[in-house]
Amino acid sequence: MINPGRLDRGYEKYAPEYEKKALEVLRSGWYVLGREVEAFEQEFASFVGTKYCAGVANGLDALYLAFRALGIGKGDEVIVQANTYIASVMGITINGATPVFVEPDEYFGIDPEMTEKAITGKTKAVLAVHLYGLSCDMEKISGICKKHGLKLVEDCAQSHGAAFEGKMTGSFSDIGCFSFYPSKNLGCFGDGGAIVTDSEEYLKKIKMLRNYGSAKRYYNDEVGVNSRLDELQAGLLRVKLAHLEVLNRERDEIARAYLDGMKNPLITLPRIREGCNHTWHQFVIRCKKRDELMKYLKDRDIGTIIHYPVPPHLQKAYGYLGKKKGDFPIAEEMADEVLSLPVYNGMTSDEIRTVINAVNNWQ
Ligand SMILES: *Cc1c(COP(=O)(O)O)cnc(C)c1O
């Protein structure tokens, strides 16, 4: 079985380094918010090209805390693309703010023109989601936010190492939000997340909120949350971060082999936005008969995943927004057509060839 979610090969590649670090942390006697977290925060900020980073418990918390630090809540609108993962939207709505969906562009990123059209008197921010490992059009999106005085947040949960014209995703916005869920390109061995920012004010606020609203121990300024990154995850993330470029390059080689080798008129291959590097968190093809292709591949022991079958505006959880089928036809068509083919670190050339041949032989 070629399993798109397999993570063991990526672990094995650097197993001795991970194991050494894990033992070091276990033996240190300090397990939450300590030396490893601080070192990781510095290294990750420097990787992204921002002044600061704060580790948090997961990607959803990063988004939630970002909007909270920006003072966005009830009565405020945040523009976000309709084809994103549900967590992007929850980061907005947990704060009581209203998500305003817009259609994605052909690269699955937020569409700049639609974004500008969706601005109302209540709009406070734009959330750009760099879906599948490819940056949104950050030149246009940044420009629109500046022009209209809006805050900009980036959801970089799928874009570790992805850049737009040489500048890393996460460094374009007021606050960039990352997840280190195990399957992400920079995944840890449990849950983890981080925010990055150039603002000392937002950094301080989020560091305070992540620890029960306490800047000084046992003195609580706000009703915060418990959203801390632990030492073990931070230590292991430091090991992986040092190899992220190599790991992303390996994914790129797999994707290039797919792009060169796949020739089937029934499928549409992903395209790379000009001026961007794709980090291939997912290799997403489109196909009118997607479900048939998925079954065909499954019968040949090739696992695939749909990211995502139901767009947020049609989820039961967001029924209260009063949206219906047909409101965002581009995003809805994507949900019916997208299919993520296996791309994982440690994928063998035999496995790559098997996937290419299977896709090419399907009719
Ligand atoms: C994974 C993901 C998140 C949430 O991250 P968690 O760590 O699972 O909470 C948010 N947005 C996107 C686009 C994601 O892919």
Side-chain angles (χ1 to χ4, degrees):
M1 180 80 191
I2 298 178
N3 174 1
R6 72 178 302 165
L7 302 174
D8 54 335
R9 298 246 186 95
Y11 167 67
E12 283 158 15
K13 200 172 159 94
Y14 302 113
E17 284 180 63
Y18 289 130
E19 287 167 13
K20 181 166 171 280
K21 178 57 80 177
L23 275 180
E24 193 186 313
V25 176
L26 290 174
R27 287 169 180 168
S28 74
W30 191 274
Y31 306 113
V32 175
L33 294 184
R35 278 204 333 247
E36 293 292 338
V37 171
E38 275 168 31
F40 173 71
E41 287 172 341
Q42 279 187 10
E43 289 161 10
F44 196 62
S46 135
F47 172 79
V48 176
T50 54
K51 280 193 195 153
Y52 310 110
C53 166
V56 295
N58 54 64
L60 174 61
D61 281 0
L63 289 157
Y64 159 68
L65 293 169
F67 287 111
R68 187 163 161 188
L70 292 170
I72 289 167
K74 208 166 172 349
D76 298 332
E77 292 179 354
V78 179
I79 299 172
V80 61
Q81 71 235 46
N83 62 324
T84 190
Y85 180 51
I86 197 82
S88 315
V89 185
M90 288 188 179
I92 298 165
T93 59
I94 295 172
N95 282 292
T98 305
V100 172
F101 298 108
V102 295
E103 297 275 30
D105 64 15
E106 61 192 306
Y107 302 96
F108 306 104
I110 190 165
D111 186 304
E113 275 168 39
M114 306 270 192
T115 299
E116 192 155 30
K117 277 193 201 139
I119 296 171
T120 72
K122 293 181 179 169
T123 308
K124 289 284 152 55
V126 172
L127 175 60
V129 187
H130 309 299
L131 210 62
Y132 308 144
L134 180 63
S135 174
C136 295
D137 186 338
M138 292 318 286
E139 190 181 328
K140 287 199 180 140
I141 293 296
S142 303
I144 290 165
C145 289
K146 277 202 190 89
K147 180 175 156 197
H148 296 272
L150 304 175
K151 300 289 183 200
L152 176 56
V153 177
E154 287 165 277
D155 183 339
C156 309
Q158 303 191 0
S159 71
H160 319 77
F164 178 88
E165 288 175 356
K167 191 167 147 58
M168 284 283 181
T169 53
S171 68
F172 286 89
S173 53
D174 293 282
I175 305 177
C177 303
F178 287 86
S179 162
F180 307 124
Y181 184 74
S183 64
K184 310 291 188 188
N185 288 34
L186 178 64
C188 59
F189 297 80
D191 274 306
I195 63 92
V196 295
T197 183
D198 282 332
S199 156
E200 198 181 346
E201 180 197 337
Y202 300 148
L203 176 84
K204 279 190 174 156
K205 182 116 190 177
I206 288 169
K207 280 192 166 178
M208 179 264 287
L209 288 170
R210 77 176 174 186
N211 198 19
Y212 303 119
S214 157
K216 188 177 160 198
R217 203 171 191 193
Y218 302 133
Y219 291 83
N220 303 78
D221 303 329
E222 278 191 51
V223 182
V225 293
N226 173 354
S227 184
R228 300 174 298 223
L229 185 61
D230 65 70
E231 287 284 283
L232 196 53
Q233 300 309 335
L236 296 170
L237 281 166
R238 290 181 69 199
V239 172
K240 195 161 187 178
L241 180 58
H243 299 297
L244 184 58
E245 224 183 284
V246 172
L247 291 166
N248 278 348
R249 203 177 310 136
E250 188 188 350
R251 298 178 95 94
D252 196 50
E253 278 158 22
I254 299 164
R256 299 278 165 187
Y258 282 179
L259 290 172
D260 286 346
M262 283 184 189
K263 292 188 174 44
N264 187 329
L266 297 173
I267 68 160
T268 307
L269 292 167
R271 292 175 46 211
I272 306 170
R273 193 190 299 282
E274 217 184 297
C276 292
N277 65 309
H278 203 312
T279 56
W280 304 108
H281 174 61
Q282 301 298 344
F283 187 95
V284 178
I285 61 168
R286 296 184 64 165
C287 176
K288 295 275 179 207
K289 290 192 277 181
R290 188 262 320 271
D291 295 347
E292 279 177 43
L293 172 59
M294 193 175 187
K295 183 175 180 306
Y296 172 91
L297 293 173
K298 184 163 181 269
D299 291 343
R300 277 148 192 82
D301 279 342
I302 298 168
T304 56
I305 308 180
I306 299 167
H307 295 101
Y308 300 89
V310 181
H313 72 279
L314 299 178
Q315 294 283 359
K316 194 171 154 198
Y318 287 119
Y320 73 88
L321 294 171
K323 301 292 173 209
K324 56 184 190 313
K325 212 172 162 73
D327 284 351
F328 299 97
I330 297 174
E332 289 166 24
E333 189 174 76
M334 279 176 186
D336 291 336
E337 294 184 358
V338 293
L339 190 66
S340 306
L341 301 181
V343 172
Y344 48 87
N345 289 116
M347 194 171 186
T348 66
S349 43
D350 269 359
E351 289 170 337
I352 297 167
R353 215 171 311 118
T354 301
V355 176
I356 294 172
N357 290 340
V359 167
N360 286 347
N361 289 333
W362 178 64
Q363 47 195 358

